[in-house]
């Protein structure tokens, strides 16, 4: 089996006006769809970021992949590193930082090549990855405060979630998400309002959902003094506190006094960050993400390191479609220490690029689509329409801050915000 051609298609899909520390989601979220086509006409799929910088990297690498055996993942890594860094990565050790760009591009193609390997073997991807330790992967309800509508006319109907700013509105959003998807745990995207307000929201959620584990993620929006001030109010309320502060050192200061585990997808984001994370005792849970940790095998390596160092493992998400969700689910099935329900933005996305439409959760969990490989194929009509969105929307880089300034011209985005 040899690669004949690699196609990278930028797409844009509808995204609701979800609030976070950086501002508000724009009307269109960007993504790239990767197709690795073999000489025999088999197609392996991947999904990654759609920002112009990532697209440039993916296109540059894609042009050099013809002739590669999809089993040769070391060969893939070599080509990606040579293309993006102009040289090989050091063999002896992983640098303390700076591998993210290579990891992102490698991860995008690695998923597609693993899809091909598994298709050829006639195995579901989780079997190729070593076998399932669970039949289904649990996901959490990912709550956002949100505006009722986008600023201006995005050219499509307003979403039907309405405004979510008050505690009652947030409880309503959660009730709908739990009713429709069956999620058994809850994550609140924080860093939007004063921490005390968001903690009141958590209390309202606790009252409405007494048995659901809760998390809050201010995305580094709180200073250390602010976090230390509000920590006692969070005692007994959270299964983990995600990225309250913005640096490893700050997380370590918080961790020394926090009663709950600290989780991150912001301060430990490459293997080179792991030694310092451990020596500082900065976090207790790492949110893995195959899109930037370097693919599905890297996700398994990270989970294994978690076992070595006694760290919990969960999964991070950005706005994404079904190829990413299928990949997350396959790898999640193979991680013995996936000790927390994974994040997913999927309920917020109405568009889809895979044939058969949206994947369906049961009791807050997902099993991958049946069949060899990832189990998903492309809906070509949808792909063309989503690509057309990308051509027309003009957004080439996510910019939540500029979008927020359209709603609130006096909004201040400096971090820490509180
Ligand atoms: O989609 O607004 C968002 C999130 O804030 C996202 O950008 C984060 O990367 O979900 C993510 C997180 O857990 O930090
Ligand atoms: Mg996070």
């Amino acid at each position: 089996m040899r690669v004949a051609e690699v196609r990278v298609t930028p797409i844009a899909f509808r995204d609701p006006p979800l609030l976070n520390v950086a501002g508000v989601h724009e009307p269109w979220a960007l993504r790239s769809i990767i197709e690795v086509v073999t000489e025999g006409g088999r197609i392996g799929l991947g999904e990654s970021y759609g920002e112009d910088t990532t697209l440039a990297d993916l296109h540059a690498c894609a042009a050099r992949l013809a002739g590669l055996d999809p089993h040769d993942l070391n060969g893939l890594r070599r080509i990606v590193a040579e293309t993006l860094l102009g040289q090989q990565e050091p063999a002896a050790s992983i640098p303390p930082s700076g591998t993210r760009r290579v990891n992102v591009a490698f991860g995008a193609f690695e998923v597609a090549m693993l899809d091909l390997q598994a298709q050829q073997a006639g195995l579901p991807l989780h079997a190729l990855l070593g076998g399932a330790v669970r039949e289904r992967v649990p996901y959490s309800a990912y709550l956002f405060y949100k505006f009722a509508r986008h600023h201006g006319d995005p050219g499509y109907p307003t979403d039907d979630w309405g405004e979510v700013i008050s505690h009652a509105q947030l409880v309503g959003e959660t009730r709908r998400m739990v009713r429709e998807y069956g999620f058994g745990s809850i994550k609140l995207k924080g860093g939007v309002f004063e921490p005390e307000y968001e903690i009141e929201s958590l209390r309202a959620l606790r009252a409405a959902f007494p048995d659901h584990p809760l998390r809050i993620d201010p995305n580094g929006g709180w200073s250390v003094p602010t976090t230390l001030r509000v920590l006692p109010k969070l005692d007994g309320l959270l299964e983990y506190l995600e990225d309250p502060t913005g640096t490893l050192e700050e997380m370590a200061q918080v961790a020394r006094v926090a009663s709950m585990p600290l989780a991150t997808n912001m301060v430990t984001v490459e293997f080179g960050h792991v030694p310092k994370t451990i020596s500082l005792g900065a976090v207790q849970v790492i949110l893995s993400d195959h899109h930037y940790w370097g693919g599905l095998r890297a996700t398994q390596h990270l989970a294994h390191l978690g076992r070595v160092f006694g760290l919990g493992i969960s999964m991070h998400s950005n706005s994404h479609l079904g190829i990413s969700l299928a990949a997350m689910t396959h790898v999640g099935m193979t991680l013995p220490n996936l000790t927390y329900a994974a994040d997913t933005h999927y309920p917020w996305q109405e568009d889809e690029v895979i044939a058969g439409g949206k994947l369906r959760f049961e009791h807050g969990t997902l099993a991958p689509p049946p069949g060899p490989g990832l189990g998903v194929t492309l809906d070509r009509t949808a792909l063309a329409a989503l690509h057309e969105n990308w051509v027309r929307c003009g957004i080439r880089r996510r910019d939540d801050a500029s979008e927020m300034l359209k709603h609130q011209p006096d909004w201040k985005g400096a971090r820490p915000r509180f």
Side-chain angles (χ1 to χ4, degrees):
M1 190 164 58
R2 296 270 161 199
V3 174
E5 185 196 354
V6 178
R7 294 192 283 263
V8 177
T9 309
I11 60 167
F13 52 83
R14 292 172 285 171
D15 207 18
L18 307 177
L19 294 161
N20 63 28
V21 73
V24 61
H25 286 208
E26 295 161 283
W28 300 100
L30 307 178
R31 218 67 182 153
S32 52
I33 301 302
I34 292 94
E35 297 174 75
V36 178
V37 188
T38 66
E39 287 167 354
R42 214 186 271 283
I43 299 177
L45 294 178
E47 177 184 333
S48 188
Y49 306 110
E51 314 237 314
D52 49 4
T53 44
T54 303
L55 286 172
D57 285 354
L58 294 176
H59 283 301
C61 296
R64 300 180 62 180
L65 294 181
L68 189 69
D69 181 333
H71 294 88
D72 185 7
L73 298 178
N74 282 331
L76 172 64
R77 185 94 197 177
R78 198 166 52 242
I79 292 170
V80 170
E82 272 168 8
T83 307
L84 301 185
L85 309 176
Q87 60 187 30
Q88 276 310 296
E89 294 177 290
S93 62
I94 293 175
S97 66
T99 57
R100 184 178 174 114
R101 216 174 131 205
V102 174
N103 289 340
V104 167
F106 175 83
F109 299 116
E110 186 240 28
V111 172
M113 294 207 179
L114 289 172
D115 185 20
L116 286 170
Q117 290 181 27
Q119 286 181 40
Q120 193 191 40
L123 294 171
L125 186 47
H126 57 80
L128 186 91
L129 290 172
V133 295
R134 61 182 63 78
E135 295 295 309
R136 308 181 65 87
V137 173
Y139 288 87
S140 58
Y142 197 153
L143 309 181
F144 282 85
Y145 298 108
K146 68 182 285 293
F147 293 139
R149 54 189 60 81
H150 284 291
H151 184 271
D153 179 9
Y156 59 78
T158 300
D159 72 77
D160 61 359
W161 291 86
E163 177 191 87
V164 180
I165 301 290
S166 71
H167 308 313
Q169 287 169 329
L170 187 70
V171 169
E173 177 184 285
T174 317
R175 283 199 198 288
R176 173 171 167 187
M177 228 184 242
V178 168
R179 186 176 64 246
E180 291 182 6
Y181 296 87
F183 293 123
S185 55
I186 294 171
K187 160 168 171 166
L188 173 61
K189 174 58 58 179
V192 176
F193 301 113
E194 290 287 343
E196 280 79 359
Y197 182 85
E198 296 185 350
I199 292 169
E200 278 312 306
S201 282
L202 288 172
R203 292 200 187 292
L205 291 171
R206 170 50 68 240
F209 299 92
D211 300 324
H212 280 62
L214 299 176
R215 321 159 182 174
I216 184 169
D217 175 14
N219 276 123
W222 298 350
S223 67
V224 172
T226 298
T227 308
L228 297 182
R229 185 186 80 230
V230 302
L231 265 184
K233 301 187 173 85
L234 292 167
D235 275 347
L237 204 52
L238 299 179
E239 67 172 336
Y240 58 66
L241 172 59
E242 182 176 330
D243 287 313
T245 55
T247 68
L248 257 184
E249 289 74 10
E250 290 172 345
M251 290 285 276
Q253 285 182 58
V254 175
R256 279 197 278 279
V257 293
S259 62
M260 73 293 288
L262 300 189
T264 191
N265 63 273
M266 295 180 73
V267 298
T268 309
V269 295
E270 300 177 24
F271 283 99
H273 297 164
V274 172
K276 193 167 172 191
T277 302
I278 300 299
S279 65
L280 289 176
V283 302
Q284 292 70 50
V285 181
I286 296 182
L287 278 71
S288 172
D289 184 330
H290 71 267
H291 303 92
Y292 62 77
W293 276 92
L296 302 181
R297 298 260 190 222
T299 302
Q300 293 182 308
H301 295 320
L302 177 64
H304 189 67
L305 276 186
R307 294 173 76 188
V308 173
F309 291 106
L311 298 173
I313 296 291
S314 188
M315 275 200 248
H316 165 258
S317 139
N318 280 123
S319 304
H320 67 88
L321 298 181
I323 300 171
S324 283
L325 187 61
M328 289 168 71
T329 304
H330 278 284
V331 75
M333 289 172 73
T334 71
L335 307 179
N337 55 336
L338 186 68
T339 35
Y340 300 95
D343 290 350
T344 179
H345 285 56
Y346 202 63
W348 294 109
Q349 260 63 74
E350 290 180 31
D351 294 320
E352 187 48 283
V353 73
I354 57 174
K358 310 289 289 179
L359 300 175
R360 274 180 284 282
F361 292 81
E362 278 174 32
H363 307 295
T365 67
L366 194 70
L374 280 169
V376 295
T377 55
L378 283 175
D379 174 337
R380 298 258 161 218
T381 309
L383 179 66
L386 296 176
H387 176 64
E388 193 55 28
N389 291 342
W390 177 82
V391 172
R392 284 170 199 266
C393 79
I395 299 172
R396 294 294 176 262
R397 202 170 282 200
R398 178 177 169 179
D399 186 355
D400 293 16
S402 297
E403 191 65 19
M404 188 67 169
L405 288 169
K406 296 179 193 165
H407 292 261
Q408 294 177 8
D410 61 345
W411 183 78
K412 301 268 183 297
R415 274 185 250 180
R417 294 196 56 220
F418 305 104

